[in-house]
Amino acid sequence: MYIQAFVLFFLFIVPIPRTEAQNEQVEGRVIRNIVFMRTEGLGMAELFYNHSKDKKIRELCSRIKSYYTATQPDAVELCTGKNLQLAESEFELLYGRLQKGFEGYDPQKEGAYLEVCEDHINKSITFYTQLVQDAASEDISYFSFKALPELFNLQQEIRKVRKQYPNPLAKVKP
């Protein structure tokens, strides 16, 4: 009986240490996700800015772009010295997908585009919050912690602007 309890204790309670290579792989995947989320958010903001004629939406998009510009040095530092295996074709595919979402842009559906932007910001908040809670690595946690306040501010700004556009007519997927 004691042996079974001892085995269960080690299987479920005592964490199994990861090797340095496993830690680097996990960290690399997390940083890749950060890079792609940032790329998607910036691309979405730029395309929305270029298509919309609404002053408040354009101001919001400018603020989102400013957020990415302001946090870019920290993001680059996070990536420094890491082999993230990022291919330019992956970014082209992502941007192509975003562009396709803005084909046939209809100002009547700006509420739906705002909803997609808000969903992206919400996912970023959830992701960064989880990274801070997990404390996976000091650098990633610190970057996430610094990124969160402005993401919460952007979330609130999107919600304010969305009040102009209740009940989007159709969902879009930029």
Side-chain angles (χ1 to χ4, degrees):
M1 182 68 171
Y2 289 112
I3 294 174
Q4 291 173 340
F6 187 69
V7 169
L8 288 174
F9 175 75
F10 274 99
L11 285 177
F12 296 107
I13 309 274
V14 177
I16 299 171
R18 291 184 183 160
T19 66
E20 190 173 323
Q22 287 172 322
N23 284 338
E24 287 177 13
Q25 286 177 338
V26 169
E27 189 174 280
R29 280 194 303 269
V30 168
I31 295 172
R32 276 177 59 92
N33 284 344
I34 290 171
V35 169
F36 282 113
M37 286 180 79
R38 290 176 57 81
T39 302
E40 183 177 50
L42 181 59
M44 195 180 312
E46 285 196 20
L47 288 165
F48 201 10
Y49 180 90
N50 291 336
H51 284 83
S52 181
K53 303 297 182 224
D54 184 287
K55 182 181 176 186
K56 288 185 179 184
I57 289 175
R58 291 174 62 93
E59 287 172 358
L60 175 64
C61 291
S62 290
R63 185 165 173 192
I64 292 169
K65 291 188 316 186
S66 293
Y67 160 76
Y68 286 112
T69 301
T71 57
Q72 185 62 14
D74 293 329
V76 169
E77 185 176 323
L78 188 63
C79 297
T80 302
K82 309 283 191 294
N83 181 9
L84 302 177
Q85 301 173 350
L86 300 171
E88 190 173 328
S89 61
E90 291 176 290
F91 292 101
E92 289 171 358
L93 182 66
L94 175 62
Y95 194 71
R97 194 188 90 223
L98 288 170
Q99 284 179 316
K100 186 173 176 100
F102 280 89
E103 286 176 2
Y105 183 84
D106 182 357
Q108 298 296 318
K109 296 179 183 175
E110 286 189 331
Y113 285 96
L114 283 167
E115 186 176 332
V116 171
C117 287
E118 184 178 0
D119 286 346
H120 176 78
I121 295 294
N122 291 341
K123 287 177 186 173
S124 296
I125 288 170
T126 301
F127 183 62
Y128 288 145
T129 300
Q130 189 63 51
L131 292 174
V132 169
Q133 290 173 349
D134 290 348
S137 95
E138 188 175 305
D139 293 339
I140 292 172
S141 294
Y142 183 67
F143 174 81
S144 300
F145 182 76
K146 283 178 62 178
L148 278 168
E150 185 58 17
L151 286 171
F152 282 113
N153 292 335
L154 291 171
Q155 179 188 55
Q156 293 305 311
E157 288 302 312
I158 290 172
R159 288 178 180 169
K160 284 181 196 174
V161 174
R162 273 193 64 207
K163 286 181 181 179
Q164 293 179 18
Y165 302 93
N167 301 323
L169 298 173
K171 297 258 182 192
V172 291
K173 294 189 180 203

